[in-house]
């Protein structure tokens, strides 16, 4: 991914750090911190096959009243977004599940729908091309 897309969703600061979390067997989250404050979370989560982006989005409160893309794969606001990977994104350890990605700002003061949409679509494409989908 283009680092500029991530930077556009971050507040200013001096030091950037990251930490990975695996809160359950189907989710992995990369948290970004600016000056030791959590400001952005990028997640991959497996959901039951057949769910729609609209059905998954409420799990990410920042997407409330978000904009749905024409193909209904993405929903985003100025603070968060959820995207569904392509149907061919399947792995044996998550049978009958679809992979979704999420981008969430965290108390950062960032509220930029254009930046979130660009980051969300780029992140989704990056995940689709990664080992997460093979």
């Amino acid at each position: 991914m283009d680092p500029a897309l991530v930077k556009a969703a971050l507040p200013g600061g001096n030091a950037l750090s990251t930490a990975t979390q695996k809160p359950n067997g189907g989710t992995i989250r990369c948290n970004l911190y600016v000056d030791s404050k959590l400001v952005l979370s990028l997640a991959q989560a497996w959901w039951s096959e057949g769910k729609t982006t609209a059905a998954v989005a409420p799990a990410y409160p920042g997407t409330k009243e978000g904009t749905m893309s024409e193909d209904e794969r993405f929903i985003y606001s100025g603070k968060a977004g959820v995207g569904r990977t392509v149907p061919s994104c399947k792995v044996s350890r998550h049978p009958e599940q679809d992979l979704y990605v999420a981008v969430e700002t965290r108390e950062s003061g960032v509220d930029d729908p254009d930046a979130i949409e660009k980051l969300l679509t780029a992140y989704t494409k990056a995940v689709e091309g990664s080992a997460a989908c093979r």
Side-chain angles (χ1 to χ4, degrees):
M1 283 185 2
D2 180 352
L5 295 175
V6 177
K7 185 176 181 183
L10 296 175
N14 295 315
L16 178 67
S17 59
T18 63
T20 301
Q21 289 181 317
K22 294 182 181 180
N24 59 51
T27 302
I28 186 167
R29 184 176 297 126
C30 177
N31 292 321
L32 285 78
Y33 299 81
V34 171
D35 299 336
S36 301
K37 180 181 175 187
L38 177 60
V39 294
L40 184 66
S41 179
L42 304 174
Q44 300 171 31
W46 291 94
W47 286 75
S48 298
E49 196 170 49
K51 293 267 188 196
T52 64
T53 303
V56 172
Y60 305 92
T63 62
K64 188 176 180 182
E65 299 177 18
T67 300
M68 179 72 75
S69 64
E70 282 189 32
D71 62 5
E72 298 186 351
R73 283 184 59 203
F74 304 97
I75 189 167
Y76 59 90
S77 70
K79 298 184 176 296
V82 173
R84 185 181 72 234
T85 61
V86 291
S88 60
C89 180
K90 296 288 181 191
V91 296
S92 60
R93 63 190 181 279
H94 293 286
E96 299 179 18
Q97 292 186 311
D98 293 326
L99 184 60
Y100 282 81
V101 300
V103 172
E104 297 177 276
T105 60
R106 307 286 182 137
E107 304 298 324
S108 65
V110 173
D111 189 349
D112 186 341
D114 188 52
I116 296 298
E117 178 188 23
K118 288 177 181 174
L119 176 57
L120 177 65
T121 55
Y123 180 46
T124 303
K125 286 183 172 116
V127 169
E128 290 169 345
S130 76
C133 282
R134 291 187 216 108

